[in-house]
Amino acid sequence: MKETSSQPVADDAPLRPAKDPVKGRVTRLLKAWPEALLLLLTVVLAIPVAMMAGPAFVGPGQPLSTPAPPAWQRPPATLAPRQGLPPLQDSAPVPLPSAVSTQLEALLKADGGGGFTGLVQDALTGQVLFDRGGSDNRIPASNMKLLTAVAALRALGPDHRFSTRVLSGPAAGQVVLTGGGDVLLGAGDSMPAQVMGHAGLATLAVSTVAALKEKGTAGQVTVLVDDSLFSGPALNPAWAQGDVEAGEQAPLFPLALNSARFDPVATTGPRPQDSAVTAAQAFAAQLKAAGAAAGLSVTDGVARFQASSGPAPSGPASSGPAPSAPAADGGGPAVLAEVQSATVSQQVDLMLQTSDNYLAEILGRMSAVAAGQPGSNTGATEAVRKQLTELGIPTDTMRLADVCGLALDNQVSARQFAEVVRAITSGTDTRLRTALAGFPVAGLTGTLGARYGDNATARGAGLVRAKTGTLNSVIALSGYVVDADSRLLVFSFIGNGLTPGAAGNKEALDRAATALAACGCR
């Protein structure tokens, strides 16, 4: 039963209006709006927080999908086809001599006076493909360094190194810096990864101080220098005085800093005129710095070692042979310290790449010393001739005035240079292969790095590899190239009597070599 109120209602009580249900709902919504807005904001902020914090509680989930990168950013599905030159094949066709001659005769034209000789051979068979005065003697300029490279690699061996030693001196407190043929010494620490500066005088000084301490040496130390490994004139009389003054060459000694340069990066300008004393002074400075903590002091100045009458005053090298220090064995003076050069093959590469005249002459003289001959200019030229003869290359017509190519008295034929390149690339003496890396690459390295950049020669860039040669009226290029049919060709082009500075002569050589690289001459 539904309960009812028993309270009476007075007749005179005022009447209350009825409530509007819609208005009531609006009122309640307005009152609740701040709380709803706050709740909505909380939810919105909580979603990203939950997404970041969630994996920490429930572990890693599936990564969100991302659009695939463009094709050029994706790893390749298959390897690209092999590019570059195909392997050389003995069965590759040999160019027709008539076709080769037709191309080269049109290109080898002198710009002004003079003219070119040249020879091209198939490297494998020796077949002559082009011959324009190939047997005529010519001034070869720096192509001479190819002959020196062959002689050094054969007489010394690719892996041979030159030693620079410090020996006990004849009197107490004396040390003798002894040159052994390394003219690429650095003044600082040895740098094993470099050719120039491979052996450093700072490293040698530190080792010397350690040896002196072990011997109980204290007090003052005097540095002597022994440069007696070489004999004869330090300057070749066949070199023009103007070339020497311009820094193309310098007096030769069996030890030097930076290939007888004041700065290892300098390739022109004045040179030390006594590189042995210059190196000894640098060593004395390093010895002074290294010996200070060990209680050693180093006297100012250096003197040349004299076997008979004691040290002589420091001064220019004598033009005649000097007595050498006793050997460091058989009861001779003790070897206190030693550093070794880069290998002969590495030095040959540097010589060919940069056409370093000083280094070429040193390698020639060291080849003579290795054969038991005097370390002189005559010894160097005879050592080169001997090695070429033993290699089977006729030398009867050659005239060798030096081994770097600076002398105008040199006379060598294009045929002889082509045969030398052929011996390097494909001859039976595999020691010569180590010289291949030294050939400048057209448009990329060494003395060919700035060439082969125009439309007429660009096809030879990266393919032509050759030794350059340049004097005032002489230009030469001897090297090798793989033709369009994968045949290895060797060549030598030599221009004499040319108009000095005529740009077309260098261009003629580069175009001729480029034609060989592009040759499918059948």
Side-chain angles (χ1 to χ4, degrees):
M1 176 179 295
K2 185 178 179 179
E3 291 185 359
T4 61
S5 174
S6 59
Q7 185 69 25
V9 178
D11 293 339
D12 59 350
L15 296 175
R16 297 177 181 173
K19 293 182 179 179
D20 185 345
V22 175
K23 183 178 179 180
R25 284 195 297 272
V26 171
T27 301
R28 288 194 297 273
L29 284 174
L30 290 174
K31 291 181 179 179
W33 173 247
E35 291 83 354
L37 182 61
L38 180 61
L39 178 61
L40 178 62
L41 182 61
T42 301
V43 171
V44 170
L45 293 175
I47 291 174
V49 173
M51 292 178 65
M52 291 186 290
F57 296 98
V58 301
Q62 293 297 323
L64 297 176
S65 61
T66 57
W72 57 269
Q73 287 185 345
R74 302 175 196 169
T78 58
L79 292 177
R82 184 175 180 179
Q83 297 180 350
L85 295 172
L88 297 181
Q89 300 291 334
D90 295 350
S91 59
V94 178
L96 288 176
S98 59
V100 175
S101 295
T102 298
Q103 291 202 34
L104 297 187
E105 288 290 356
L107 296 172
L108 281 175
K109 295 180 178 179
D111 182 3
F116 291 102
T117 60
L119 192 96
V120 179
Q121 288 177 284
D122 175 59
L124 182 62
T125 64
Q127 180 183 351
V128 175
L129 306 176
F130 170 76
D131 186 353
R132 183 203 281 180
S135 297
D136 297 345
N137 268 347
R138 308 288 271 179
I139 303 169
S142 284
N143 274 204
M144 279 292 299
K145 295 180 177 72
L146 289 172
L147 312 186
T148 306
V150 165
L153 290 171
R154 285 175 54 86
L156 296 162
D159 298 325
H160 184 75
R161 299 176 188 269
F162 305 135
S163 295
T164 304
R165 294 176 171 180
V166 178
L167 307 181
S168 296
Q174 291 182 338
V175 296
V176 183
L177 177 67
T178 306
D182 187 1
V183 296
L184 304 180
L185 291 165
D189 293 333
S190 296
M191 297 186 290
Q194 303 296 320
V195 181
M196 184 84 75
H198 185 92
L201 294 182
T203 300
L204 185 62
V206 169
S207 297
T208 301
V209 169
L212 291 173
K213 286 178 61 179
E214 187 175 344
K215 290 181 61 177
T217 302
Q220 198 168 64
V221 175
T222 300
V223 174
L224 310 179
V225 59
D226 179 7
D227 57 5
S228 59
L229 185 62
F230 292 169
S231 59
L235 274 176
N236 190 330
W239 296 332
Q241 184 61 32
D243 287 337
V244 175
E245 292 173 353
E248 293 294 332
Q249 193 52 280
L252 300 169
F253 296 91
L255 72 165
L257 291 170
N258 314 316
S259 197
R261 292 284 188 189
F262 289 109
D263 187 332
V265 300
T267 57
T268 59
R271 292 175 177 262
Q273 295 303 293
D274 192 332
S275 66
V277 167
T278 300
Q281 290 170 339
F283 172 71
Q286 295 288 2
L287 190 65
K288 183 176 182 179
L296 297 175
S297 61
V298 178
T299 57
D300 294 332
V302 297
R304 274 195 163 78
F305 176 83
Q306 300 290 328
S308 57
S309 58
S314 176
S318 169
S319 61
S324 62
D329 54 17
V335 177
L336 300 176
E338 177 180 4
V339 287
Q340 292 194 325
S341 71
T343 65
V344 165
S345 66
Q346 290 172 321
Q347 295 192 50
V348 163
D349 286 352
L350 179 64
M351 173 191 68
L352 295 177
Q353 284 281 331
T354 62
S355 201
D356 189 319
N357 290 326
Y358 198 90
L359 181 56
E361 291 293 330
I362 298 301
L363 289 173
R365 292 194 178 206
M366 293 305 295
S367 298
V369 170
Q373 299 301 312
S376 63
N377 180 67
T378 301
T381 55
E382 288 305 312
V384 169
R385 188 185 299 275
K386 177 177 183 291
Q387 293 299 330
L388 294 176
T389 300
E390 292 180 358
L391 198 57
I393 297 174
T395 62
D396 293 345
T397 60
M398 282 185 183
R399 289 173 54 192
L400 304 181
D402 68 10
V403 296
C404 71
L406 191 59
L408 293 174
D409 295 336
N410 291 314
Q411 293 285 307
V412 186
S413 71
R415 180 182 296 274
Q416 288 163 328
F417 279 116
E419 287 289 356
V420 165
V421 177
R422 185 171 169 237
I424 293 172
T425 60
S426 41
T428 56
D429 189 343
T430 56
R431 292 174 296 180
L432 304 185
R433 299 288 189 277
T434 58
L436 290 174
F439 281 75
V441 180
L444 295 176
T445 64
T447 54
L448 286 183
R451 291 163 63 169
Y452 292 79
D454 59 20
N455 292 334
T457 59
R459 292 185 66 182
L463 299 178
V464 174
R465 298 171 182 243
K467 180 70 194 78
T468 57
T470 307
L471 294 172
N472 282 340
S473 60
V474 177
I475 190 169
L477 191 70
S478 299
Y480 64 98
V481 68
V482 177
D483 73 3
D485 289 327
S486 299
R487 197 77 188 184
L488 180 63
L489 310 179
V490 299
F491 63 88
S492 178
F493 305 129
I494 308 174
N496 276 192
L498 304 175
T499 301
N505 293 320
K506 186 179 294 184
E507 187 175 301
L509 294 188
D510 292 347
R511 288 185 175 186
T514 297
L516 292 178
C519 189
C521 303
R522 289 175 287 158

